[in-house]
Amino acid sequence: MQKLKQWLKQNRTFLMIFAALSAVLVFGIFPICSEDFISYDSSYQYALTQHSYSEIWRLIPEDYSPPLYSLLLKTFCVMFGHTLYVMRVFSLIPMIGMLILALFPFRRLFGGRASILSGIMLLSSSFVFYLMPEIRPTVPALFFMTGTAIYACDVWFNGKRGAYIGLTVFSVLGMYTHNVAMLGALGLYVLLMVYALLRQDKDKLRKVFISGVVSAVVYIPWLFVVIKQFSNVKEHYWVSSATALDGFGWLYKLSINNRPLHKSPIFLVLEIALAYVLIRNVRYGKAKDGKEIKQASSAFSKWTDKAKELCKDDKLRFLFFAVNAPLMVLGLFHNYVYNIITSRYVYILAGVYVMLLAVIMAQFKGRVFFAVFATAIACNGWICADSIIDDIEKQDMSYAIDKIKEENPDGDVIFLDLHEFAIGMFSYYFPESTHYVCDYTFTVLRTFDVFTTTVIDVGAIENIWNYTDEFYMFLPNGAYNDIPYEQEDLFKYLDDNGYNYDMYVGCRQPYFYSRYNNIILKVWCDNESGGQTE
């Protein structure tokens, strides 16, 4: 008890900062990320969680993720309710965990200034606003991946037993949460072993190897399922058109600010910081003997020396590699095994990158710099939040949903789905609906059992008229390389065959990876030939 009191006293300031940042997250950011809109990936998890534990365990291998998140989310929902809001509240837990990592174990390694800046940046970067509405393993994977990286740093620079335990625990939890976290943990273990070999530190090499073996052994039971999942991937999964270099771009720029500004305020401030240093000692109008020029030259020399010093900083250098080693492993897997890179996967690595930026910013001493950086970070967060609010205010998805509900007051709505997006999202909006799929339907799923609505395969698209004479269709925009049709071709097909349709244009939807040009059609047939014209 005495040790706890002493710890609370020593960490009182940072506990207050943690409470303040948590309040911002809970009462500021979370409300704008918890509107009643859902993306397909989240709708899949929402549907999965409606099943019993035994059914979840049966269905998880049909997905492409490890089981930990689904089982934890199910348990949380059993206690608090199976609603979308409750599931999003569950996503708050790893986000709060990120603040704990930033303000406590990270602070022990890199100091208070870097700790505070990283905590603020975690709440003001694009990836937080991108992932917060998600009900998918990407959110806890971000937390576990960040913890793995921090404890990898702790292992190298402190080497206490607690650091090795932290590294092993976070690695295992990450591997059982998301496959990208598994690849990231592999990258960090390789980094530690390379460091130990280069420094000829046999003791650390042995301990890191033991930690890695423990993690691998604990993961073996799930490895057999992963092998089966990977065979499913080759047959059913989408193929990313992105490159490994795109992954670097998503991490190094878009994870901080992917909104309308050409550049993030954070990067702008970093770029003008040096200019500020050069001119702050220059007194205009008094340049008599070149003294001010010498002052500026001296300032420039001082900061170039500082830059060289940073490059030699072993902790900063290791943290830089801790960001890039997992990204390189992910890039190698993407290039030589299977094309899986997408922004939300790369954002799993973004927590470590934010902390790297915070450490660099913390090197600029003085209250003025700290205030300028803090202001830039806050502005960055405001821009990201404002963009989400703008999406919510301008959305017209709720109009389309209300229109369909008005036309079908009993909730018995019929959909013909040409993309799995429609099955997931509209199963959420219309839990009593019936969904038909056909040969044109794109899906990565081997079974639709996860959805609690009825899903029927009609084969050829023309066979839909053997089942119904009226249905709705959701058409995602053409930005997806997995859509097996062009919207214009589909309209031509409907027109040429005499089908009638009403179109709800736009369907701008918050929290959806493609906000624009999504269309909902109501299609019906008036003649006995099923719409076929002579």
Side-chain angles (χ1 to χ4, degrees):
M1 183 62 69
Q2 189 64 32
K3 288 185 178 181
L4 176 61
K5 289 182 178 179
Q6 184 179 1
W7 184 88
L8 291 174
K9 184 178 180 180
Q10 292 174 344
N11 293 274
R12 182 171 53 187
T13 300
F14 284 88
L15 287 169
M16 293 173 63
I17 293 171
F18 167 71
L21 293 179
S22 297
V24 171
L25 176 64
V26 173
F27 300 110
I29 296 175
F30 180 73
I32 66 174
C33 294
S34 57
E35 294 284 335
D36 193 23
F37 299 102
I38 195 166
S39 67
Y40 167 68
D41 290 300
S42 295
S43 70
Y44 181 92
Q45 191 69 52
Y46 176 88
L48 182 63
T49 309
Q50 308 303 314
H51 293 275
S52 65
Y53 282 103
S54 59
E55 277 296 292
I56 290 174
W57 192 255
R58 180 182 70 84
L59 289 167
I60 281 176
E62 303 297 338
D63 189 22
Y64 305 98
S65 298
L68 181 60
Y69 174 75
S70 296
L71 297 175
L72 291 177
L73 179 62
K74 175 64 180 180
T75 303
F76 191 78
C77 290
V78 167
M79 293 187 292
F80 300 104
H82 291 76
T83 67
L84 181 61
Y85 187 83
V86 166
M87 293 180 192
R88 285 194 171 130
V89 168
F90 185 70
S91 295
L92 275 174
I93 298 173
M95 289 297 182
I96 291 174
M98 293 283 289
L99 294 177
I100 294 174
L101 289 174
L103 293 173
F104 298 103
F106 183 75
R107 174 168 58 94
R108 292 197 299 268
L109 288 163
F110 296 97
R113 288 168 62 90
S115 171
I116 295 171
L117 286 173
S118 65
I120 299 172
M121 285 182 69
L122 285 171
L123 300 186
S124 65
S125 298
S126 283
F127 70 89
V128 173
F129 295 88
Y130 186 92
L131 294 179
M132 272 295 289
E134 284 281 287
I135 309 170
R136 288 294 279 166
T138 43
V139 185
L142 167 68
F143 169 60
F144 293 137
M145 187 69 243
T146 305
T148 304
I150 290 174
Y151 280 104
C153 293
D154 201 15
V155 160
W156 185 253
F157 293 104
N158 295 327
K160 295 181 180 179
R161 182 167 56 180
Y164 288 97
I165 293 173
L167 173 67
T168 308
V169 169
F170 272 94
S171 296
V172 170
L173 291 174
M175 290 190 295
Y176 270 97
T177 301
H178 201 288
N179 292 325
V180 169
M182 180 265 291
L183 294 173
L186 174 62
L188 289 170
Y189 273 109
V190 170
L191 173 64
L192 282 168
M193 296 187 74
V194 168
Y195 252 71
L197 287 169
L198 291 176
R199 303 292 176 86
Q200 297 182 344
D201 191 331
K202 295 181 179 179
D203 184 56
K204 273 198 173 66
L205 180 63
R206 177 178 58 83
K207 291 177 179 178
V208 169
F209 180 76
I210 292 173
S211 171
V213 169
V214 170
S215 299
V217 169
V218 174
Y219 186 67
I220 283 176
W222 188 251
L223 181 62
F224 297 106
V225 181
V226 171
I227 293 171
K228 178 186 174 184
Q229 287 178 326
F230 186 66
S231 65
N232 295 345
V233 164
K234 291 183 176 180
E235 296 177 13
H236 294 271
Y237 209 56
W238 49 266
V239 178
S240 172
S241 59
T243 66
L245 287 178
D246 291 327
F248 280 88
W250 282 323
L251 181 63
Y252 279 98
K253 179 183 182 296
L254 297 184
S255 66
I256 298 297
N257 191 307
N258 64 356
R259 301 307 178 182
L261 281 189
H262 174 63
K263 300 196 76 176
S264 161
I266 295 174
F267 291 125
L268 288 175
V269 169
L270 281 172
E271 290 170 358
I272 66 174
L274 180 59
Y276 172 82
V277 172
L278 291 176
I279 67 173
R280 84 178 158 167
N281 292 323
V282 177
R283 295 186 295 275
Y284 293 105
K286 297 183 179 180
K288 296 181 179 179
D289 55 3
K291 181 179 179 181
E292 287 76 16
I293 296 175
K294 291 180 181 178
Q295 287 176 332
S297 176
S298 175
F300 179 79
S301 176
K302 182 191 301 183
W303 285 98
T304 53
D305 290 342
K306 183 65 176 177
K308 293 177 182 178
E309 184 181 324
L310 286 176
C311 291
K312 295 178 181 178
D313 186 312
D314 204 22
K315 284 188 178 180
L316 184 62
R317 187 165 49 199
F318 186 93
L319 187 60
F320 173 80
F321 288 128
V323 174
N324 287 281
L327 188 58
M328 290 176 66
V329 171
L330 178 60
L332 289 171
F333 186 91
H334 176 83
N335 283 342
Y336 297 106
V337 182
Y338 196 84
N339 298 34
I340 62 164
I341 281 187
T342 186
S343 57
R344 68 182 182 277
Y345 292 168
V346 174
Y347 288 172
I348 291 172
L349 312 176
V352 197
Y353 167 54
V354 161
M355 292 179 176
L356 172 65
L357 271 182
V359 172
I360 294 173
M361 288 181 179
Q363 305 305 312
F364 291 86
K365 303 299 182 182
R367 295 180 179 178
V368 173
F369 274 119
F370 191 84
V372 170
F373 285 138
T375 302
I377 293 167
C379 289
N380 194 78
W382 178 83
I383 291 168
C384 295
D386 183 66
S387 182
I388 295 288
I389 293 170
D390 183 63
D391 279 341
I392 293 171
E393 290 177 346
K394 294 181 178 178
Q395 62 83 22
D396 52 10
M397 190 67 175
S398 59
Y399 163 77
I401 299 299
D402 291 341
K403 183 73 173 175
I404 296 174
K405 287 181 178 179
E406 181 183 320
E407 295 172 351
N408 303 270
D410 60 355
D412 187 14
V413 190
I414 296 175
F415 290 92
L416 173 62
D417 302 317
L418 300 186
H419 199 290
E420 61 184 9
F421 285 165
I423 306 172
M425 291 190 301
F426 289 99
S427 291
Y428 169 75
Y429 294 125
F430 302 96
E432 302 299 322
S433 58
T434 300
H435 293 259
Y436 293 98
V437 296
C438 64
D439 294 343
Y440 277 106
T441 303
F442 172 82
T443 179
V444 303
L445 303 176
R446 288 163 52 87
T447 175
F448 295 114
D449 290 351
V450 67
F451 300 111
T452 54
T453 53
T454 302
V455 181
I456 300 171
D457 190 344
V458 302
I461 190 171
E462 294 83 4
N463 294 339
I464 184 63
W465 302 110
N466 297 328
Y467 294 84
T468 182
D469 58 4
E470 180 180 294
F471 54 85
Y472 294 86
M473 301 177 71
F474 174 74
L475 311 180
N477 73 25
Y480 295 90
N481 63 330
D482 51 34
I483 294 178
Y485 61 86
E486 296 291 339
Q487 288 183 356
E488 295 81 2
D489 294 337
L490 182 62
F491 288 127
K492 184 176 184 302
Y493 168 78
L494 294 174
D495 291 332
D496 290 348
N497 288 278
Y499 301 145
N500 304 297
Y501 58 87
D502 282 338
M503 181 167 57
Y504 309 143
V505 183
C507 297
R508 174 170 171 155
Q509 180 179 1
Y511 317 145
F512 191 54
Y513 305 132
S514 169
R515 295 182 178 84
Y516 310 100
N517 300 323
N518 303 303
I519 296 171
I520 295 179
L521 294 179
K522 178 182 179 181
V523 184
W524 71 95
C525 173
D526 286 335
N527 57 63
E528 296 180 357
S529 63
Q532 300 295 328
T533 57
E534 297 296 333

